[in-house]
C-alpha cells in the first residue's frame, strides 16, 4: 500500500470509529510528520513523501466532511456523489497523451463542484485569479490547475445537462495562514474555503444535471481511472523531467 492509500485508509477508519471532529484533529496533528525508520531517505525522497502525504490528508479531510454532511442531510443529498482522484483524458484531443487528475469532485443535480485541495504550511498569499504565493516554499497557480480540470471534465460529461453548471473551489487544509488579496470577481470564481466554511454556498438553484446518466458515466470514469493511474504517474514524471 502506497503513502496516499495508507493515509486515506487510516483517516477514514478514524472517522468511522471516532467521528468527524477527531478525524480532522488527527489530520492537523500528522501534517508533515513522518515516523522515522531504519531506512535512510534522501532529502528529495522525504520531501516527495511529505508532499504526497499532506495532499492526501487535505483531500481525505474534505471527503469526510462532505460524507458527514450527506449523512446528516440524506434527503437533500440523496443524489450527490463524491469522486476522488478522477483521472481524465480529453475526448476532444484524441491523439494527445494528455491526462489530468482531479483532487475531489462533488456531483449534485444543481452543480458539479471541482475542488483543488492544497496543504501548504506557513504564510501564504492568494493573488491574481488564484495564484498561491508562499513566504517559504514553492508557489502554484491553483486557478490554472482547476480551470484545466473543469474544462477536461466538461468535455467528458457535458452531454448530461442542457446547461451544465460547475463551480471551482480551493480547499486549504494546513497549519499555515492565508491572506486572500484577489479582486472579488476572482474570489467568486474560485472561492477559497477551509474546514470552517467549506459547507457554505452550495447552489440552491434549479436542477441542471440528469443524475442517473451522469452517475453512470462517472462510475465508468472511476473504473477507467484505476486503469489509467500508473500510466498517468509515468506521464507526470516525464513532464517534470523535461
Amino acid at each position: 500500500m502506497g503513502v496516499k492509500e495508507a493515509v486515506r485508509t487510516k483517516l477514514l477508519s478514524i472517522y468511522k470509529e471516532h467521528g468527524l471532529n477527531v478525524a480532522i484533529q488527527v489530520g492537523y496533528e500528522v501534517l508533515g510528520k513522518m515516523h522515522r525508520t531504519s531506512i535512510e531517505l534522501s532529502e528529495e525522497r522525504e520531501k516527495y513523501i511529505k508532499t504526497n502525504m499532506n495532499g492526501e490528508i487535505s483531500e481525505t479531510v474534505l471527503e469526510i466532511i462532505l460524507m458527514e454532511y450527506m449523512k446528516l442531510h440524506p434527503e437533500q443529498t440523496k443524489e450527490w456523489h463524491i469522486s476522488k482522484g478522477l483521472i481524465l483524458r480529453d475526448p476532444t484531443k484524441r491523439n494527445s497523451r494528455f491526462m489530468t487528475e482531479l483532487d475531489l469532485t462533488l456531483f449534485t443535480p444543481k452543480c458539479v463542484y471541482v475542488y483543488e485541495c492544497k496543504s501548504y504550511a506557513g504564510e501564504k498569499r492568494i493573488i491574481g485569479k488564484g495564484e498561491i504565493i508562499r513566504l517559504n516554499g514553492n508557489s502554484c497557480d491553483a486557478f490554472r490547475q482547476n480551470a484545466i480540470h473543469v474544462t477536461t471534465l466538461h468535455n467528458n460529461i457535458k452531454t448530461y445537462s442542457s446547461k451544465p453548471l460547475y463551480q471551482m473551489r480551493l480547499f486549504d487544509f494546513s497549519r499555515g495562514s492565508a491572506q486572500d488579496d484577489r479582486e472579488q470577481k476572482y474570489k467568486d470564481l474560485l472561492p477559497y474555503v477551509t474546514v470552517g466554511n467549506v459547507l457554505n454556498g452550495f447552489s440552491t438553484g434549479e436542477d441542471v444535471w440528469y443524475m442517473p446518466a451522469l452517475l453512470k458515466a462517472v462510475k465508468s470514469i472511476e473504473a477507467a481511472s484505476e486503469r489509467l493511474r500508473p500510466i498517468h504517474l509515468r506521464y507526470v514524471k516525464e513532464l517534470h523531467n523535461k
Side-chain angles (χ1 to χ4, degrees):
M1 183 183 293
V3 173
K4 292 168 70 72
E5 294 83 0
V7 167
R8 180 171 181 266
T9 298
K10 186 62 177 178
L11 278 179
L12 285 175
S13 174
I14 291 170
Y15 165 61
K16 290 174 182 176
E17 289 186 37
H18 304 287
L20 177 63
N21 291 336
V22 172
I24 291 174
Q25 186 59 40
V26 170
Y28 276 123
E29 289 175 358
V30 299
L31 279 174
K33 292 184 178 179
M34 289 178 57
H35 293 292
R36 291 296 170 189
T37 69
S38 58
I39 302 174
E40 290 292 330
L41 297 174
S42 67
E43 183 178 340
E44 182 180 355
R45 180 61 179 168
E46 183 169 329
K47 181 180 179 181
Y48 174 81
I49 293 174
K50 284 183 178 180
T51 299
N52 276 272
M53 184 176 73
N54 287 357
E56 186 65 24
I57 291 170
S58 177
E59 293 173 22
T60 305
V61 165
L62 173 58
E63 182 182 17
I64 62 178
I65 289 173
L66 294 174
M67 288 169 60
E68 181 75 1
Y69 183 82
M70 291 167 66
K71 184 172 74 173
L72 295 175
H73 303 85
E75 187 60 32
Q76 175 192 344
T77 64
K78 61 185 177 183
E79 293 186 283
W80 288 24
H81 180 76
I82 302 167
S83 281
K84 188 172 171 303
L86 288 181
I87 296 176
L88 301 175
R89 294 186 185 274
D90 191 331
T92 69
K93 302 175 181 177
R94 295 193 179 277
N95 295 322
S96 172
R97 293 181 62 221
F98 167 82
M99 282 181 280
T100 192
E101 182 174 4
L102 283 60
D103 290 343
L104 188 142
T105 312
L106 174 63
F107 297 90
T108 83
K110 302 181 186 302
C111 183
V112 172
Y113 300 90
V114 183
Y115 291 89
E116 193 72 28
C117 300
K118 298 299 182 187
S119 183
Y120 292 146
E123 295 180 36
K124 303 170 286 288
R125 289 177 62 222
I126 309 173
I127 64 171
K129 292 183 178 180
E131 186 177 355
I132 302 173
I133 306 297
R134 301 173 69 192
L135 187 63
N136 296 298
N138 296 332
S139 301
C140 80
D141 191 340
F143 178 88
R144 180 178 178 277
Q145 292 174 348
N146 211 336
I148 291 172
H149 292 163
V150 171
T151 298
T152 309
L153 179 62
H154 174 70
N155 289 340
N156 278 272
I157 66 171
K158 59 187 175 183
T159 57
Y160 304 108
S161 174
S162 59
K163 42 184 176 181
L165 181 62
Y166 305 88
Q167 185 177 79
M168 301 189 295
R169 290 188 171 185
L170 172 57
F171 177 70
D172 178 20
F173 185 77
S174 69
R175 289 182 167 185
S177 60
Q179 181 174 318
D180 194 343
D181 292 331
R182 296 174 295 165
E183 295 179 50
Q184 188 60 48
K185 63 181 178 180
Y186 295 125
K187 292 181 180 180
D188 295 338
L189 193 57
L190 177 66
Y192 169 78
V193 295
T194 64
V195 167
N197 66 347
V198 69
L199 296 175
N200 297 345
F202 287 130
S203 175
T204 57
E206 63 179 320
D207 290 359
V208 297
W209 289 97
Y210 181 57
M211 294 306 288
L214 174 60
L215 293 183
K216 184 177 180 181
V218 170
K219 292 290 186 182
S220 295
I221 294 171
E222 289 173 343
S225 295
E226 293 311 307
R227 297 193 298 271
L228 289 172
R229 206 164 300 283
I231 303 171
H232 176 256
L233 182 59
R234 289 197 299 271
Y235 170 74
V236 171
K237 286 181 177 179
E238 288 176 15
L239 289 180
H240 288 170
N241 290 333
K242 284 184 178 180

